[in-house]
Amino acid sequence: QGQLVESGGDSVQAGGSLRLTCTYPGHTFRFSCMGWFHQAPGKEREGVASLTGHGDLTYYRDSAKGRFNISRDNDKNAVWLQLSRLKPEDSGMYYCAPTRCGSITALGNYWGQGTRVTVSS
């Protein structure tokens, strides 16, 4: 099956922006509801945002609303997470994964390597 690959993480100052990219080979997750998850050091992964198979509907956790934006292009096998007005608590690893549609709950165990975001004060 296709392996999810995350990229775009970097070190930025508080208030900065980043665009994270999730890709996969073939069409393994095409039309699957997909999401982004955040894992702070020493903590469990938590859902950040998700969207439906065609990107028509999006969902965000409260701390992401108004700051983050999730989007996709199925023809490019890509899902993005635009991070804006970043805060130190946003630091950590970010992973993408298929989700239960209409939620930010991961399905299965398809985690990739993740990409690291570090936000300094």
Side-chain angles (χ1 to χ4, degrees):
Q1 299 298 308
Q3 180 179 359
L4 295 163
V5 178
E6 299 93 343
S7 62
D10 204 351
S11 296
V12 299
Q13 291 184 289
S17 300
L18 288 171
R19 189 190 192 194
L20 309 183
T21 299
C22 168
T23 60
Y24 54 91
H27 301 287
T28 306
F29 302 107
R30 188 172 186 175
F31 305 127
S32 293
C33 293
M34 298 289 291
W36 281 92
F37 298 79
H38 170 231
Q39 184 172 25
K43 307 290 289 186
E44 297 295 319
R45 278 187 292 260
E46 297 182 344
V48 175
S50 68
L51 79 180
T52 51
H54 293 278
D56 299 317
L57 299 175
T58 57
Y59 307 87
Y60 301 90
R61 71 180 179 188
D62 289 342
S63 62
K65 293 178 180 177
R67 298 192 301 126
F68 299 172
N69 183 61
I70 187 170
S71 60
R72 73 189 302 164
D73 185 340
N74 291 329
D75 291 330
K76 296 182 178 180
N77 298 351
V79 181
W80 299 279
L81 183 66
Q82 178 68 46
L83 308 174
S84 300
R85 303 199 302 281
L86 285 162
K87 304 174 181 179
E89 52 262 45
D90 295 322
S91 296
M93 298 296 295
Y94 283 79
Y95 304 85
C96 61
T99 69
R100 181 189 300 273
C101 295
S103 74
I104 319 177
T105 301
L107 290 178
N109 189 23
Y110 302 101
W111 308 107
Q113 295 296 303
T115 186
R116 186 179 299 280
V117 170
T118 301
V119 185
S120 59
S121 300

